[in-house]
């Protein structure tokens, strides 16, 4: 997705989707290390099963990271992501291919901001993480 | 409830975090976020930043235990997360951060009775200017 300046976005506008590569187990190990979240339900099948999960699950924060990537790509060098809020609705498993989608919900001129409704879905209609973002433009 | 409500208000010590270039790059790489602002220092400088920029969810790497708050980590799911930023965080920033319990409540959901733990982290620069806030809802089951 190309980045867009404030004056290139309109309320109601649908954004180009961002399709992420399938979540991989090794990615969960890397994310655990990079984020410092060592909850073993993300990296160890035995621990995951012991607490009743079918297998390891992705860190919720990884899917939030995908949505942050999406919002950050849109702002590019024109501005920055000044707010990001998400709810983790469904678990994400290794092999899942997540697509980030969004729409412009509001625009303010002073300061120059754009609000977005954003979500990540596993397949059309199967939303795993949903939220909103504000981009503040320079 | 898996956590007693008396923990509400419990606040961590203030901890100082230095935002390092290597940590930012490893974090962006794990997410698969190839934004050049997060990896290419020359590019970031050309666009007015003093060094590479941290991705928006980078404050999750700032971890500070809260006194009197104990639970079994593998029983925790992440329910909600919110961040707001006064400005982007960049490599070289030194941030003073504090973590606090702001709410504990119980709800019955599809997995049975669950305890919700809401914590808030705030970060300031060394001059005392606010830089970010993070609000996290964890679900214990």
């Amino acid at each position: 997705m190309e980045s867009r300046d404030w004056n290139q976005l309109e309320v109601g506008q649908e954004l180009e989707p961002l399709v992420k590569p399938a979540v991989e187990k090794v990615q969960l190990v890397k994310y655990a290390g990079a984020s410092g979240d060592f909850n073993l339900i993300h990296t160890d099948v035995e621990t995951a099963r012991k607490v009743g999960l079918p297998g390891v699950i992705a860190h919720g924060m990884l899917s939030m990271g995908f949505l942050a990537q999406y919002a950050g790509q849109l702002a590019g060098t024109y501005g920055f992501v000044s707010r990001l809020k998400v709810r983790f609705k469904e678990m994400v498993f290794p092999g899942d291919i997540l697509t980030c989608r969004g729409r412009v919900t509001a625009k303010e001129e002073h300061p120059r901001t754009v609000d977005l409704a954003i979500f990540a879905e596993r397949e059309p209609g199967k939303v795993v993480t949903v939220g909103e973002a504000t981009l503040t433009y320079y | 409830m898996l956590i007693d409500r008396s923990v509400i208000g419990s606040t961590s010590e203030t901890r100082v975090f230095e935002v390092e270039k290597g940590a930012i790059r490893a974090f962006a790489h794990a997410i698969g976020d190839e934004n050049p602002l997060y990896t290419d220092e020359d590019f970031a400088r050309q666009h007015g930043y003093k060094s590479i920029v941290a991705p928006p969810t980078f404050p999750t790497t700032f971890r500070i235990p809260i006194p009197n708050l104990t639970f079994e980590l593998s029983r925790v799911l992440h329910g909600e997360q919110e961040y707001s930023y006064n400005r982007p965080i960049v490599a070289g920033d030194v941030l003073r951060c504090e973590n606090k319990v702001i709410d504990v409540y119980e709800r019955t959901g599809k997995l049975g009775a669950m305890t919700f733990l809401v914590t808030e982290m705030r970060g300031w620069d060394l001059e005392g200017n606010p830089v970010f806030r993070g609000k996290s809802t964890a679900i214990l089951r």
Side-chain angles (χ1 to χ4, degrees), chain A residues 31 33-37, chain B residues 17 23 27 57-64 83:
Chain A
Y31 189 81
S35 71
D37 181 346
Chain B
F17 293 93
F27 189 78
T57 57
F58 189 78
T60 192
T61 66
F62 307 147
R63 294 182 183 270
I64 317 176
Y83 286 115

Side-chain angles (χ1 to χ4, degrees), chain A residues 20 27 30-31 34-37 39 41 51 61 64 66 69 77 80-88 138, chain B residues 26-27 29-33 37 47 49 57 60-61 63 73-74 78-85 88 141:
Chain A
K20 292 290 293 177
Q27 182 173 29
K30 282 184 193 172
Y31 189 81
S35 71
D37 181 346
N39 189 334
I41 62 170
V51 296
M61 288 303 296
M64 188 181 193
F66 294 171
Q69 173 181 356
T77 56
F80 71 103
V81 180
S82 54
R83 195 177 68 93
L84 193 60
K85 179 182 180 178
V86 304
R87 189 158 54 85
F88 304 105
Y138 297 128
Chain B
F27 189 78
H29 176 70
I31 293 167
D33 189 340
L37 287 174
H47 291 92
Y49 298 99
T57 57
T60 192
T61 66
R63 294 182 183 270
L73 191 58
S74 62
H78 204 163
E80 290 180 30
Q81 180 69 43
E82 180 173 0
Y83 286 115
S84 56
Y85 318 87
R141 60 195 181 93

Side-chain angles (χ1 to χ4, degrees), chain B residues 26-41:
Chain B
F27 189 78
H29 176 70
I31 293 167
D33 189 340
E34 287 164 2
N35 192 326
L37 287 174
Y38 308 152
T39 53
D40 184 338
E41 192 159 37

Side-chain angles (χ1 to χ4, degrees), chain A residues 37-48 56-57, chain B residues 73-74:
Chain A
D37 181 346
F38 299 119
N39 189 334
L40 284 171
I41 62 170
H42 305 303
T43 49
D44 179 52
V45 177
E46 201 183 321
T47 304
V56 296
I57 62 167
Chain B
L73 191 58
S74 62

Side-chain angles (χ1 to χ4, degrees), chain A residues 83 103-108 113-117 132-135:
Chain A
R83 195 177 68 93
R103 171 171 61 80
V104 179
T105 55
K107 239 181 123 170
E108 292 291 335
T113 60
V114 167
D115 289 344
L116 309 172
E132 48 202 72
T134 301
L135 310 181

